[in-house]
Each structure stands twice: as C-alpha cells, then as structure tokens.
Amino acid sequence: MKKLLLLPVLALLFSCGENEGGEESASRELELTYEIDTVMVDAGDHFFFLNYGLGMSGLSTDAKLLYNLNPQTLLLEVIDLDALALKETIQLEREGPNGVGGGFISGMQVLANGNLKFFDFNSIMEVNPAGELVDKFEYVPSEWEGYQFNEEEEQFRYSGVFTPDGRILYATIAAGDYTEPAKGMAKLNFDTKQIEFFEIGDMFDRLDQFAITMRSDNMSMSAGESINLNEVKGDLLIGNSAFNELFVLKSGADSLIHHTFTSSLTRNEKTMEAPNTVESQEDFRAAMKKRGEQVSFGKMIYHPEEDLFWRFTSDKDRMIADSLVKKQVLTIFDSEFTMLHEEKIENYGISGRQFFKDGMLYSFLNMDDEMAFVRLKPQIER
C-alpha cells in the first residue's frame, strides 16, 4: 500500500487572557495556531493489529519507533515513524527460554536502551529488540526492604510505569481481593531493592464511587475509572479520568503535590448518575453508556519542544435525539502545571494513543482497518 497524505488543513488563532477563577485556571496570555493533516502508515503486505486501537503499543523514547503487540498471537509490529511504514515484525515466544508467559499481557513500555517491558498479571518481562527474554520480575517479599505488603490485605499490581532506564517502577498497591479501592502507589528501586509507599489522599476512594459491577449467576465484571500515569524528566504524574486534578511526585521527594484545576469549558468532575451494581449485560451496557455522558479527563501529553503539557477532555455538548454529541477541549499547562490556555477543538479525532514527535501531536486513527495518524502542528506564542 502506498503512503497517502491527506491535507485537510485547519489554521486557527486563539488567545487566553486574565481569568479571575484562581491561579489554577487559565490565566496567562497564549496564542496558538495550528495545522492538521492525516498520514497513512504503509503496511506493505501486512495487516496491522488494530483491534485495541493501539492500546497495546509502546513508543520509543526518541519517538522514532512505535511497537504494537497482538497479545493473542504475540506478534510484535515495529513501525518506523520517520518513514511511516512497517519496519519489521517480531514473533515473541510464549514458552521456552525466551517465553513471555502463557497469561495475558496487559501493557507495554519501551525503555531508553530499546528493550521492552511487558506487563502480565503475575510478572513483568523484559525483552531486547530481537525478542529475547533478558529479565523477568516477580515480587518476592524476602528480596525487598522498606515497605512490606500485608499479603492478606494488599496485593502488588504488575502494572505501572518505569523510569526510562528501567531502574525504578511505580505501581499501584491494591486490596488483596480487588473488592476495595487501591491503597496507594509504591516506588520500587531495583538497584537498592527498596520499596517506598505513597498515599494519594482519598483519590482512590473518590474514584470507587464510579465503579460499575455486574454480578450474575454465570459471570461477574467491573469497570472503573482510568488512572493515568506518566514519568516525565524524573517526575511521576498521576491523573485520573473523573476529576480535574493531578498529583505530582517530584524526583527525590517523599510526598506528592496535589494540583486542582478549574475549567470554564467543561465540568470539573464526574457525578454518578448510573447504578453501581447491575445484574445483566444489557443493564451493564446501559449503565456504561450513561456514565459515558459524563466528563472524562485524558492523560498529560508532554510537548518537549515547548516544555509544555497538553491534555484533552471530553464532555457532553448536546443530544441530537438519542445520540450524544461530545465536545473536545484542549488544556495547555506549563512545566509547573499552571493552566495557560483552554479551548474547544473542532475536527480533530482524539484517541488513546497520542504523542508528540518532531513538534507535532500524533493521534491514532483507524481508517478502514488501516493505520493512520492525525497530526496537529502547533505554533505557540507566549
């Protein structure tokens, strides 16, 4: 397939002046102009795995390669983002000396040295760019010092985010049976074998009110709010989809900074208007649809060229008959997380896989089962 460049170009100018809503609302003047285009990724004779919307992908630290995993077949696709083409595929092994396990991989991260971390339910595996297993982490209490889990009441979750060198992992500490809100965050130092525990106020308790659980004779399932973790320049950022807030653990600090924000364009928190417990799949889908009408805050996206953070928020705009129309709002923060600017974005699709590369914001787009990216090229004046 030939690489195709579409050019629906949009150039807009906005400014944000003084706002009396407080220091955590947009209050500094910032002018933003941007252009938008769409590019296709050349797959050759290959068919990309897009079932999860690139939810099982990882970006190299230099933003040159994107790795996309099919967790069912363990085929790893390597996309060259400079050439916008498939570079190669790597078949990972399920068993044997290079096996990455027979469970279900739930996430991945690319380290600065090019190795990849795969998060499974019971372990974290590290493979090199050739697909060879180089490390497997399973928590053994006797090997660690510092905070000790109460194994009857607490459980280490094999998910989270590593520092780019892979030496520190930030992970959630959950209730032992997953029926209660998470306890907090753990920082695991693989050099010193030390564990530090950090409470995150009442964030997990507040998020628990939005969980929807289906219980029936045949099955049980639950869906909660998203926790958004970023590691940027040594700092850990902890956000969530339900509240207009951010927790920051600065490098070397022993406590978190809590930022709360005020938006003039969206609601600042969800309200629960759906039942927490249902008994059928039909009622579960209806409850999820109702919750989906609420505001949802996205992940902080670092813009390295400008040393800024971007975040997209979706919220209910209006109903047309029984169809929900949502608005997308962009908020820009400085490096200390002061709100600089917010505005409603039109004609720009927002996906779960967004990143900056060469000064442009890439957002994944499934275009007729082919991989594409909508690129927003900003120019910012302050």
Side-chain angles (χ1 to χ4, degrees):
M1 181 186 75
K2 297 294 185 181
K3 183 173 67 177
L4 173 66
L5 177 64
L6 305 176
L7 291 172
V9 178
L10 180 67
L12 299 174
L13 174 66
F14 293 90
S15 64
C16 188
E18 291 298 320
N19 186 312
E20 298 181 357
E23 62 183 11
E24 295 293 353
S25 60
S27 59
R28 298 184 185 179
E29 186 172 319
L30 182 150
E31 291 186 350
L32 170 68
T33 60
Y34 59 85
E35 296 178 349
I36 293 176
D37 67 15
T38 303
V39 292
M40 305 292 295
V41 178
D42 189 348
D45 296 329
H46 179 75
F47 291 95
F48 285 122
F49 177 77
L50 304 178
N51 296 28
Y52 298 163
L54 295 191
M56 289 295 299
S57 65
L59 182 71
S60 64
T61 55
D62 59 7
K64 291 182 178 295
L65 297 175
L66 181 71
Y67 296 83
N68 183 43
L69 179 71
N70 182 331
Q72 298 160 354
T73 65
L74 297 184
L75 184 68
L76 184 66
E77 301 164 340
V78 186
I79 295 98
D80 183 332
L81 291 172
D82 288 333
L84 287 170
L86 177 69
K87 179 182 179 182
E88 61 179 327
T89 60
I90 301 170
Q91 182 60 62
L92 301 180
E93 298 179 18
R94 194 173 299 275
E95 300 176 348
N98 291 316
V100 294
F104 187 84
I105 295 174
S106 59
M108 65 180 295
Q109 181 181 346
V110 186
L111 302 180
N113 65 1
N115 286 358
L116 296 93
K117 294 282 192 181
F118 293 104
F119 299 88
D120 204 336
F121 289 135
N122 300 307
S123 62
I124 301 174
M125 287 77 63
E126 180 177 342
V127 303
N128 63 23
E132 299 168 334
L133 185 69
V134 297
D135 185 57
K136 182 176 183 178
F137 168 63
E138 295 177 330
Y139 174 68
V140 178
S142 61
E143 296 178 354
W144 293 83
E145 297 180 350
Y147 183 80
Q148 296 295 315
F149 301 109
N150 181 332
E151 296 186 56
E152 294 184 357
E153 299 180 1
E154 298 174 336
Q155 182 167 325
F156 171 78
R157 284 185 179 173
Y158 290 93
S159 62
V161 61
F162 281 91
T163 53
D165 58 13
R167 297 164 65 183
I168 292 175
L169 169 66
Y170 297 99
T172 304
I173 305 302
D177 58 2
Y178 290 95
T179 59
E180 299 293 331
K183 304 289 186 179
M185 296 292 299
K187 176 183 178 180
L188 287 75
N189 189 313
F190 285 81
D191 287 339
T192 64
K193 292 292 183 178
Q194 288 281 336
I195 299 178
E196 297 179 68
F197 177 77
F198 298 93
E199 292 186 349
I200 314 181
D202 63 348
M203 185 188 79
F204 289 114
D205 289 316
R206 288 185 286 117
L207 293 178
D208 192 54
Q209 67 182 297
F210 304 111
I212 299 173
T213 301
M214 186 201 76
R215 294 190 177 95
S216 67
D217 295 336
N218 300 322
M219 62 183 301
S220 176
M221 66 173 66
S222 182
E225 293 297 317
S226 299
I227 305 294
N228 301 316
L229 299 181
N230 297 52
E231 196 278 347
V232 179
K233 298 190 297 184
D235 298 339
L236 176 67
L237 315 182
I238 309 169
N240 63 76
S241 55
F243 295 95
N244 198 359
E245 65 181 355
L246 182 73
F247 292 86
V248 180
L249 179 63
K250 303 287 286 185
S251 178
D254 58 5
S255 61
L256 292 98
I257 302 170
H258 184 202
H259 298 271
T260 58
F261 310 112
T262 301
S263 171
S264 62
L265 299 178
T266 71
R267 290 170 285 186
N268 291 299
E269 62 181 61
K270 273 185 169 69
T271 56
M272 191 57 177
E273 299 177 357
N276 292 105
T277 304
V278 296
E279 297 181 351
S280 70
Q281 293 189 47
E282 181 180 359
D283 289 343
F284 183 81
R285 287 191 293 268
M288 291 292 293
K289 181 179 179 181
K290 186 67 176 178
R291 195 180 72 176
E293 297 177 1
Q294 293 282 319
V295 65
S296 182
F297 301 96
K299 189 174 186 177
M300 290 286 183
I301 309 167
Y302 184 54
H303 185 181
E305 288 82 4
E306 295 284 348
D307 195 25
L308 296 172
F309 289 90
W310 289 36
R311 190 194 65 189
F312 288 92
T313 303
S314 63
D315 200 358
K316 181 178 180 179
D317 191 16
R318 62 191 184 277
M319 298 293 294
I320 299 179
D322 294 331
S323 299
L324 171 68
V325 178
K326 304 200 81 171
K327 58 184 174 181
Q328 308 290 347
V329 173
L330 165 66
T331 308
I332 299 177
F333 305 82
D334 68 13
S335 59
E336 298 300 319
F337 302 103
T338 298
M339 287 178 62
L340 302 181
H341 180 75
E342 66 173 350
E343 53 141 302
K344 185 177 178 180
I345 294 288
E346 303 282 358
N347 304 316
Y348 181 70
I350 297 173
S351 73
R353 169 51 72 183
Q354 292 178 288
F355 54 88
F356 273 95
K357 173 178 170 55
D358 301 328
M360 292 183 286
L361 179 65
Y362 282 59
S363 182
F364 165 69
L365 174 66
N366 185 332
M367 185 175 288
D368 298 325
D369 293 327
E370 296 188 47
M371 186 185 298
F373 289 97
V374 180
R375 302 188 303 186
L376 186 153
K377 185 177 182 179
Q379 290 186 344
I380 295 174
E381 295 184 11
R382 290 182 260 183

